[in-house]
Amino acid sequence: MANFYLKPSEKEETKLEPKKSTVDFILNYSKALKVTEYEELQFETLLN
Amino acid sequence: MKNYTVSDAILVSNYIKGDESSLGMLIERHKQRIYSFIYSKVFDRDVSEDIFQDTFIKVIKTLKSGKYNEEGKFLPWVMRIAHNLVIDHFRKGNRMPKFEENGEFSIFSVISDGDLNAEKKLIKGQVEEDLRMLIQELPEDQKEVLVMRMYRDMSFKEISEKTGVSINTALGRMRYALINLRKVIEKNNIVLTN
């Protein structure tokens, strides 16, 4: 019974965080995105 | 709240100046909290990944376009973006409801075409066949009245004229036919339901 209470549940052990591929995508997106301004206009350019 | 050597505000400022690695540090620092928040609302890993990604795409666009003005409140700002995207997700879901067979609810239990499906048609055919066989076991006079009434849709007046007995006798034969059918059904535990 003691073990039942002391053993951390599976849910607690699992850290909820995004996949590495998702984080990599965001970082690559950031590197590729260029925002250029021309007078009062802003242009987004995505360089692949 | 954890104490970091470099504050969020400085990392944000460095990122705006062009230091891409600062974004990586910010994501690394807060990814668990943001992702857990999203997951706690949508309970779906794939949807959480999508919303997490969209959240940071918005963050990146805002920072790079110089529209960010909440210095020192980076995490609450990102959490608010995530929260808005979660709301958008549920709004989208309401506009285009998904009907998934997850064992709990099936839209086809509510919407049907009204026709019997193949299985029910088969069962109906078997029930009718069983009933016909039971009717064959009835005494001839009762069987005659029952068939005329139920299968030929004749009135008791027509039956009495056709069989040459009084209406009351025809009614009595019909009554005994039904009683006898019930008895046979109960005795043999026959199930005649669809």
Side-chain angles (χ1 to χ4, degrees):
Chain A
M1 198 66 176
N3 277 341
F4 185 75
Y5 287 106
L6 294 173
K7 195 183 166 195
S9 72
E10 214 171 281
K11 207 175 181 181
E12 282 168 347
E13 283 175 68
T14 322
K15 281 184 180 174
L16 279 174
E17 54 181 48
K19 290 178 195 163
K20 192 181 173 293
S21 58
T22 306
V23 175
D24 287 347
F25 172 86
I26 293 165
L27 294 174
N28 288 332
Y29 174 84
S30 170
K31 282 174 196 162
L33 182 73
K34 295 275 175 279
V35 178
T36 29
E37 282 184 40
Y38 176 75
E39 293 180 354
E40 286 182 0
L41 300 170
Q42 275 192 339
F43 298 96
E44 287 175 8
T45 326
L46 212 51
L47 307 165
N48 281 314
Chain B
M1 183 67 84
K2 287 179 186 172
N3 283 320
Y4 297 105
T5 48
V6 185
S7 70
D8 285 355
I10 291 172
L11 288 173
V12 170
S13 165
N14 289 346
Y15 175 68
I16 292 168
K17 286 174 195 159
D19 178 18
E20 290 288 334
S21 65
S22 296
L23 179 71
M25 288 165 79
L26 284 166
I27 293 175
E28 199 54 42
R29 200 175 269 187
H30 301 300
K31 66 180 180 184
Q32 202 181 314
R33 199 157 163 200
I34 298 163
Y35 186 85
S36 301
F37 166 76
I38 298 166
Y39 185 79
S40 73
K41 305 290 174 208
V42 298
F43 293 110
D44 185 301
R45 296 300 289 252
D46 292 332
V47 175
S48 301
E49 296 284 337
D50 285 350
I51 295 177
F52 182 86
Q53 187 178 296
D54 289 349
T55 302
F56 273 94
I57 284 175
K58 278 208 165 188
V59 167
I60 290 164
K61 280 185 178 176
T62 310
L63 293 178
K64 290 213 169 187
S65 60
K67 289 174 189 164
Y68 178 72
N69 56 5
E70 293 188 58
E71 242 178 280
K73 294 174 188 169
F74 177 74
L75 184 60
W77 173 61
V78 180
M79 292 292 255
R80 204 161 57 242
I81 294 174
H83 179 252
N84 290 340
L85 288 172
V86 167
I87 292 171
D88 286 351
H89 163 74
F90 284 115
R91 278 191 189 140
K92 220 184 290 170
N94 282 341
R95 278 204 304 273
M96 293 180 288
K98 283 193 291 182
F99 300 119
E100 289 173 347
E101 287 281 0
N102 56 9
E104 291 167 8
F105 172 77
S106 166
I107 190 64
F108 297 109
S109 65
V110 182
I111 301 169
S112 72
D113 62 359
D115 284 349
L116 294 174
N117 63 25
E119 187 193 3
K120 284 187 175 170
K121 273 181 193 163
L122 204 68
I123 294 169
K124 189 170 179 277
Q126 283 171 354
V127 166
E128 285 169 357
E129 187 55 37
D130 286 348
L131 192 58
R132 268 189 214 105
M133 283 163 70
L134 289 174
I135 291 167
Q136 293 305 317
E137 300 299 314
L138 289 171
E140 201 56 42
D141 56 346
Q142 293 171 20
K143 185 169 72 182
E144 189 183 33
V145 174
L146 188 137
V147 169
M148 284 180 184
R149 179 75 193 113
M150 303 310 290
Y151 290 95
R152 295 180 200 157
D153 211 20
M154 291 163 71
S155 69
F156 281 103
K157 189 170 180 283
E158 288 168 330
I159 293 169
S160 75
E161 284 166 3
K162 181 99 178 171
T163 53
V165 296
S166 70
I167 292 177
N168 275 343
T169 308
L171 280 166
R173 284 177 184 174
M174 182 69 191
R175 184 168 169 265
Y176 279 109
L178 295 175
I179 289 169
N180 286 331
L181 274 179
R182 280 200 196 100
K183 272 187 196 164
V184 178
I185 289 165
E186 277 168 25
K187 194 178 166 190
N188 297 292
N189 288 323
I190 300 166
V191 179
L192 293 172
T193 48
N194 211 340

